[in-house]
Amino acid sequence: MAVLTRNDIAGRIMVALDYANAEQAEGLLKQLEGIPCYMKVGMQLFYAAGPGFVASLKDRGYKVFLDVKMHDIPNTVKGGAESVTRLGVDVFNVHAAGGKHMMSAAMEGVDKAMAPGAQRPIVIGVTQLTSTSQQVLNAEIGLPGSVEQAVIRYARLALDAGLQGVVASPLEVTQIKAACGDAFVTVTPGIRPAGADVGDQTRVMTPAEAFAQKTDYVVIGRPITGAADPRAAIESIIDSIV
Ligand code: C5P
């Protein structure tokens, strides 16, 4: 990481804007003004603040990961992918559990919506949610094997469908890159700076440890958004990686 500048590192940190409305999110944006981090908009904020809020992030120069985890019949996902591509998001995701046809339909939606000269969004697959235990995987969802096996199977399926990467735990990055290649993008939540409150995340790594696994992006929410001084929190995370 030594060759990366502080701004390069900021661009690989996706701040999870897990807020109930645009006004609350604006409070954090004000505190982080000038730091070129990625902004992750999940379903809570997107359902409340809508495409207009995402467009305003793009107008202010932010890169945006729209974390809405599409999962529906292929034709509907294709339409969803078209809409978010037109919105200009940089990354969005679909559930790998929707199958190869559904994921490739998302890619068709992107193709259809691409404006000439525009930057293509990176489409990533959700493998197995990090909240899924072995018991839930086997007894409730009905998939045999370990969570790790399910993650790798979904990652390969996402690659086969033409997706560029997956969301996964930082503990799975090495295996995913071995199965799908180094260029296959990994986006990893479950990140906690040394000494931070783990909260409801169970399998965590520090930002420096996650980048040492060669992850491409880290998703960090509460250690920044819940800090008394969010700007100091992200600056200290960047310091821990430079
Ligand atoms: O606050 P915290 O750092 O735990 O936030 C993690 C973010 O990453 C949240 O927005 C959460 O929805 C998201 N996420 C996750 N685990 C996944 C997929 C997404 O924690 N498997």
Side-chain angles (χ1 to χ4, degrees):
M1 299 294 291
V3 292
L4 295 181
T5 65
R6 293 180 67 79
N7 281 357
D8 290 335
I9 291 166
R12 295 172 62 175
I13 297 174
M14 297 175 153
V15 178
L17 295 176
D18 291 324
Y19 291 108
N21 55 52
E23 196 186 359
Q24 288 177 13
E26 289 295 348
L28 183 82
L29 292 170
K30 200 161 175 227
Q31 306 223 41
L32 300 189
E33 207 171 329
I35 300 175
C37 49
Y38 238 96
M39 293 298 171
K40 183 177 90 72
V41 178
M43 60 177 87
Q44 183 187 18
L45 184 57
F46 191 64
Y47 292 164
F53 179 76
V54 171
S56 88
L57 287 175
K58 292 302 303 170
D59 288 345
R60 283 177 268 185
Y62 284 111
K63 290 210 164 191
V64 176
F65 168 22
L66 188 64
D67 180 18
V68 289
K69 300 184 175 69
M70 297 180 198
H71 190 171
D72 208 314
I73 59 170
N75 190 55
T76 302
V77 168
K78 181 179 171 187
E82 274 182 60
S83 294
V84 301
T85 300
R86 291 208 178 90
L87 189 52
V89 303
D90 301 275
V91 177
F92 72 92
N93 54 5
V94 302
H95 268 283
K100 195 168 156 183
H101 185 189
M102 190 208 81
M103 287 190 276
S104 50
M107 301 309 285
E108 284 169 29
V110 171
D111 289 339
K112 197 168 163 206
M114 281 302 297
Q119 180 78 30
R120 257 187 103 78
I122 295 173
V123 187
I124 58 178
V126 179
T127 55
Q128 195 59 59
L129 293 174
T130 44
S131 52
T132 309
S133 65
Q134 173 92 37
Q135 191 270 339
V136 168
L137 183 78
N138 301 152
E140 295 182 17
I141 301 172
L143 288 180
S146 67
V147 172
E148 288 75 15
Q149 286 167 331
V151 168
I152 300 303
R153 193 175 55 245
Y154 280 138
R156 286 185 200 276
L157 192 66
L159 177 69
D160 273 0
L163 267 55
Q164 291 110 311
V166 285
V167 186
S169 157
L171 287 101
E172 286 142 8
V173 170
T174 306
Q175 274 179 284
I176 290 168
K177 297 269 185 187
C180 301
D182 284 345
F184 197 63
V185 173
T186 55
V187 173
T188 52
I191 303 293
R192 290 292 177 269
D197 186 5
V198 170
D200 56 359
Q201 297 284 7
T202 48
R203 300 157 71 217
V204 299
M205 274 196 190
T206 67
E209 285 167 346
F211 284 122
Q213 302 296 308
K214 301 210 171 358
T215 195
D216 298 281
Y217 297 97
V218 293
V219 174
I220 309 179
R222 288 160 291 180
I224 296 171
T225 57
D229 183 346
R231 189 177 194 90
I234 193 167
E235 294 284 10
S236 124
I237 288 169
I238 294 169
D239 287 341
S240 74
I241 300 161
V242 179

